Amino acid sequence: MTFKHITSRDNSLFKQLKKLADNARERRKHNETLLDGPHLLTAYIERFGMPKLLVTAEGESTNEVVGLLQVLADVPTVMFTTLMFAELSPVATPTGILALVDIPQQPVPEQPDFLLMLEDIQDPGNLGSMLRSAAAAGVEVVYLSLGCADAWSPKALRGGQGAQFILPIVERADLENVTRGFAGQTLATTLMGESLYEMDLQPPTAFMIGNEGTGLSETLIKAASRQVSIPMAGQVESLNAAAATAICLFERSRQKAVHR
Amino acid sequence: MTFKHITSRDNSLFKQLKKLADNARERRKHNETLLDGPHLLTAYIERFGMPKLLVTAEGESTNEVVGLLQVLADVPTVMFTTLMFAELSPVATPTGILALVDIPQQPVPEQPDFLLMLEDIQDPGNLGSMLRSAAAAGVEVVYLSLGCADAWSPKALRGGQGAQFILPIVERADLENVTRGFAGQTLATTLMGESLYEMDLQPPTAFMIGNEGTGLSETLIKAASRQVSIPMAGQVESLNAAAATAICLFERSRQKAVHR
């Protein structure tokens, strides 16, 4: 296979892709993002079809990457130097393949049974992990506040491992409005709530998770129907926000499974 | 307050601390590590007393850092340039205080009721989050395989948020031996096990969690008493390893709470 080989950082395509990799506003403006690695790319193709452009790197490719390039032979492909490729990739060990894609929009269910609201989550890896847990627990739609990290950044995509292609995600949402508009119970996770284990999670439920350092805002706690906490052993103050999210979501999933 | 002000990267103390920040072998050799930020430092002091050395940075300090420096006035303190300080710190926004401490050893209970074994966890942030969940769920001792990231690296400490000061942690452990030596049930988390929710977790229990990409080794799966899985919604393959760990550990914690 031969590709257009680009070796200059002044190349306009490289500059455009670098902006997309680094900048949430740029991704929003063009409704495009970069997928890094065979796993994410394969997950995308299965649901949404071909990417718009492939980027590969000089040097050896894994069999998996070569296989993908063969399957995607009709997609325009460029080759960058190893260093240029690494500038576009969020991972320490480059995967050897990047794809430019449109950010997909999933339809939001009108009367969802299981919701997740995330307020001002800072770390894109944490955010990705939360989306991955949400998809695995059967959450039907995730709302992100304006202050949340971008769900479509390379790091959040890597953390999500394809969750972004399954879950409807509403970014820049007014969570207070979402809370008031939801017909089921809205549960604010705090350190002073009722025990998660004593709560009936079988009715339609929304979990609200706050910022890693400061937790949920007072406004959202007030808007919620109840506060919920995960009971913890003596000397520990709190859990990682992504771990707490996983525990809450899967406790509902457990109650649903047990009472089915 | 005035401190010894060091501005050269050739300074031998700076070079020694940089090695400790970057290198697990160096930390093991000296049984020392660096704590970053007021939260970790305060948690350490509460249990183990004074650090050996404090490092602060040029420029403004938060009230919290100034307060700590006053309380710790008897501890030798040096001030580095902002850039030198940033080289020692794992966080993007420097906290303004680092402490050199001995790595504490917690006594390992002889007949623990609740164990966690981690095999070849690569990401120090994931490892820290797992230790934090373990401490919060009441795990009594954590065993790490030789291939695990270092529990005492600045990134793992940051992820653990003080869990390393509460939990006995045995590094470079032979997990097969630990499995055979444990009197309770040993549960290997895989994608093909029995449902976590249908398992009686009230007897003494050890959870075994494998590498983020490849999962547990065949050897450990064979050594375990049973395989356990977290039931997941349709299209999702797996969870983040730290999220899966949190769900498993807190399911035991839930069963214990409900049946108390």
Side-chain angles (χ1 to χ4, degrees), chain A residues 28 103-110 112 114-120 127 131 139-152 163-164 166-175 177-178:
Chain A
R28 242 185 344 262
I103 293 177
Q105 295 296 338
Q106 318 272 0
V108 174
E110 277 192 27
F114 197 6
L115 229 85
L116 177 64
M117 292 182 232
L118 301 176
E119 187 182 37
D120 299 0
L127 177 62
L131 295 174
V139 166
E140 289 163 85
V141 49
V142 181
Y143 290 91
L144 310 186
S145 71
L146 189 60
C148 261
D150 177 18
W152 300 98
Q164 281 89 335
I166 297 172
L167 269 179
I169 297 169
V170 182
E171 294 192 282
R172 305 159 75 79
D174 178 337
L175 299 187
N177 268 346
V178 175

Side-chain angles (χ1 to χ4, degrees), chain A residues 39 47 123 125 129 132-139 158-159 166 197 212 230-244 246-247 250-251 253-254 257-258, chain B residues 39 47 123 125 129 132-139 158-159 166 197 212 230-244 246-247 250-251 253-254 257-258:
Chain A
H39 176 84
R47 290 183 67 87
D123 182 83
S129 169
R132 189 175 172 190
S133 293
V139 166
R158 184 170 139 76
I166 297 172
Y197 309 138
E212 292 98 329
I230 301 164
M232 282 181 275
Q235 299 156 311
V236 179
E237 289 164 35
S238 66
L239 283 159
N240 169 287
I247 294 165
F250 275 86
E251 172 57 11
S253 166
R254 184 195 69 78
V258 168
Chain B
H39 176 84
R47 291 183 65 89
D123 183 83
S129 169
R132 190 173 172 191
S133 293
V139 165
R158 183 171 140 77
I166 298 172
Y197 309 139
E212 292 98 330
I230 300 164
M232 281 180 276
Q235 300 156 309
V236 180
E237 289 163 36
S238 67
L239 284 160
N240 168 286
I247 294 165
F250 275 86
E251 172 57 11
S253 165
R254 185 195 68 80
V258 169

Side-chain angles (χ1 to χ4, degrees), chain B residues 24-250:
Chain B
R25 211 167 0 166
E26 205 69 22
R27 290 189 287 271
R28 243 188 339 267
K29 185 170 138 196
H30 299 284
N31 195 48
E32 288 176 339
T33 191
L34 288 177
L35 305 181
D36 194 343
H39 176 84
L40 275 181
L41 178 51
T42 308
Y44 180 91
I45 293 168
E46 277 171 12
R47 291 183 65 89
F48 306 107
M50 295 297 117
K52 297 165 103 167
L53 174 79
L54 292 173
V55 179
T56 177
E58 289 172 353
E60 302 208 347
S61 293
T62 63
N63 289 341
E64 203 178 5
V65 168
V66 173
L68 263 173
L69 290 171
Q70 281 170 339
V71 171
L72 302 176
D74 291 342
V75 177
T77 303
V78 295
M79 179 185 281
F80 288 154
T81 66
T82 313
L83 281 177
M84 286 162 70
F85 187 92
E87 275 194 62
L88 300 180
S89 170
V91 295
T93 316
T95 57
I97 193 162
L98 285 162
L100 173 69
V101 300
D102 285 328
I103 292 176
Q105 294 298 335
Q106 317 272 0
V108 174
E110 278 193 27
Q111 294 203 306
D113 174 65
F114 198 6
L115 230 84
L116 176 63
M117 291 183 233
L118 301 176
E119 187 182 37
D120 299 0
I121 301 299
Q122 289 305 291
D123 183 83
N126 261 346
L127 177 62
S129 169
M130 290 171 177
L131 296 174
R132 190 173 172 191
S133 293
V139 165
E140 289 162 84
V141 49
V142 181
Y143 290 91
L144 309 186
S145 71
L146 190 59
C148 261
D150 177 18
W152 300 98
S153 73
K155 277 188 184 166
L157 282 161
R158 183 171 140 77
Q161 291 283 316
Q164 282 89 334
F165 310 147
I166 298 172
L167 268 178
I169 297 168
V170 182
E171 293 193 283
R172 304 159 75 79
D174 179 336
L175 299 187
E176 211 186 333
N177 267 348
V178 175
T179 307
R180 298 201 195 290
F182 181 61
Q185 59 183 345
T186 50
L187 304 180
T189 55
T190 71
L191 297 175
M192 296 157 301
E194 299 163 69
S195 163
L196 175 69
Y197 309 139
E198 285 161 23
M199 222 165 252
D200 180 4
L201 300 174
Q202 293 182 81
T205 297
F207 279 105
M208 300 149 84
I209 308 277
N211 172 271
E212 292 98 330
T214 58
L216 281 169
S217 65
E218 278 306 315
T219 317
L220 275 189
I221 294 175
K222 274 187 197 151
S225 18
R226 292 160 94 178
Q227 293 184 46
V228 61
S229 299
I230 300 164
M232 281 180 276
Q235 300 156 309
V236 180
E237 289 163 36
S238 67
L239 284 160
N240 168 286
T245 305
I247 294 165
C248 289
L249 298 178
F250 275 86

Side-chain angles (χ1 to χ4, degrees), chain A residues 111-117 141 143 175 178-189 194-209 220-228 248-249 251-253 255-256:
Chain A
Q111 293 203 307
D113 174 66
F114 197 6
L115 229 85
L116 177 64
M117 292 182 232
V141 49
Y143 290 91
L175 299 187
V178 175
T179 307
R180 299 200 195 289
F182 180 61
Q185 58 183 346
T186 49
L187 305 179
T189 54
E194 299 163 67
S195 163
L196 175 69
Y197 309 138
E198 285 161 22
M199 221 165 252
D200 180 4
L201 301 174
Q202 293 183 81
T205 298
F207 280 106
M208 302 149 85
I209 308 276
L220 275 189
I221 294 175
K222 274 186 197 152
S225 18
R226 292 160 94 178
Q227 293 184 47
V228 60
C248 289
L249 298 179
E251 172 57 11
R252 180 165 198 258
S253 166
Q255 290 191 14
K256 289 286 222 185

Side-chain angles (χ1 to χ4, degrees), chain A:
Chain A
M1 284 175 275
T2 55
F3 312 120
K4 187 170 181 197
H5 191 170
I6 296 170
T7 57
S8 162
R9 297 185 74 264
D10 284 333
N11 175 271
S12 64
L13 177 63
F14 175 75
K15 288 200 278 191
Q16 181 199 336
L17 295 177
K18 176 101 177 90
K19 274 193 204 165
L20 273 185
D22 293 346
N23 190 321
R25 211 165 3 162
E26 205 68 23
R27 290 189 289 270
R28 242 185 344 262
K29 185 170 138 198
H30 298 283
N31 195 47
E32 288 176 340
T33 191
L34 288 177
L35 306 181
D36 194 343
H39 176 84
L40 275 181
L41 178 51
T42 307
Y44 179 90
I45 293 167
E46 277 171 13
R47 290 183 67 87
F48 307 107
M50 295 296 116
K52 298 164 103 165
L53 174 80
L54 292 172
V55 179
T56 176
E58 288 173 353
E60 304 208 344
S61 292
T62 62
N63 290 340
E64 203 178 6
V65 168
V66 173
L68 264 172
L69 291 171
Q70 281 170 340
V71 172
L72 302 176
D74 291 343
V75 178
T77 302
V78 295
M79 180 185 280
F80 287 155
T81 65
T82 313
L83 280 178
M84 286 162 69
F85 187 93
E87 276 193 59
L88 301 179
S89 170
V91 295
T93 315
T95 57
I97 193 162
L98 285 162
L100 174 69
V101 300
D102 284 327
I103 293 177
Q105 295 296 338
Q106 318 272 0
V108 174
E110 277 192 27
Q111 293 203 307
D113 174 66
F114 197 6
L115 229 85
L116 177 64
M117 292 182 232
L118 301 176
E119 187 182 37
D120 299 0
I121 301 299
Q122 289 305 292
D123 182 83
N126 260 347
L127 177 62
S129 169
M130 289 171 178
L131 295 174
R132 189 175 172 190
S133 293
V139 166
E140 289 163 85
V141 49
V142 181
Y143 290 91
L144 310 186
S145 71
L146 189 60
C148 261
D150 177 18
W152 300 98
S153 72
K155 277 188 185 167
L157 283 162
R158 184 170 139 76
Q161 292 282 316
Q164 281 89 335
F165 309 147
I166 297 172
L167 269 179
I169 297 169
V170 182
E171 294 192 282
R172 305 159 75 79
D174 178 337
L175 299 187
E176 210 185 334
N177 268 346
V178 175
T179 307
R180 299 200 195 289
F182 180 61
Q185 58 183 346
T186 49
L187 305 179
T189 54
T190 70
L191 298 175
M192 294 157 302
E194 299 163 67
S195 163
L196 175 69
Y197 309 138
E198 285 161 22
M199 221 165 252
D200 180 4
L201 301 174
Q202 293 183 81
T205 298
F207 280 106
M208 302 149 85
I209 308 276
N211 171 270
E212 292 98 329
T214 57
L216 282 168
S217 64
E218 278 305 316
T219 317
L220 275 189
I221 294 175
K222 274 186 197 152
S225 18
R226 292 160 94 178
Q227 293 184 47
V228 60
S229 299
I230 301 164
M232 282 181 275
Q235 299 156 311
V236 179
E237 289 164 35
S238 66
L239 283 159
N240 169 287
T245 305
I247 294 165
C248 289
L249 298 179
F250 275 86
E251 172 57 11
R252 180 165 198 258
S253 166
R254 184 195 69 78
Q255 290 191 14
K256 289 286 222 185
V258 168
H259 295 96
R260 193 174 289 145

